[in-house]
Amino acid sequence: MNLKNKRKVLKLTQKELAKKNGITTATYALYKQGKREPNIEMLKTLANFLKYSIDELVDRKIG
């Protein structure tokens, strides 16, 4: 996931993004570092918030 770039485009801190999506800053950091993976519900939440598809969040290439 490239959460950092999208977060910066939205001009949000890690803390703000985490709070707006119902997760802790620590959980967000683990996602960003690749040490933890969000479940499907959190993927949906983040994708909707960031206006990304789930495929874009997980860097899945189609085609």
Side-chain angles (χ1 to χ4, degrees):
M1 282 189 245
N2 198 345
L3 293 174
K4 182 179 180 180
N5 289 341
K6 187 66 171 184
R7 177 180 59 78
K8 286 188 172 195
V9 167
L10 295 172
K11 297 183 169 109
L12 294 171
T13 65
Q14 289 181 21
K15 186 176 182 177
E16 290 168 331
L17 186 137
K19 185 175 180 180
K20 289 178 183 283
N21 287 282
I23 57 176
T24 65
T25 305
T27 297
Y28 171 82
L30 291 172
Y31 293 162
K32 190 179 79 169
Q33 295 165 14
K35 294 182 179 179
R36 183 172 174 187
E37 293 185 7
N39 64 28
I40 191 67
E41 291 305 315
M42 183 50 60
L43 280 174
K44 289 179 189 177
T45 298
L46 289 169
N48 287 333
F49 181 79
L50 298 170
K51 300 198 179 6
Y52 268 171
S53 70
I54 291 175
D55 286 331
E56 290 171 309
L57 278 179
V58 298
D59 271 341
R60 182 169 175 227
K61 306 280 190 261
I62 299 176

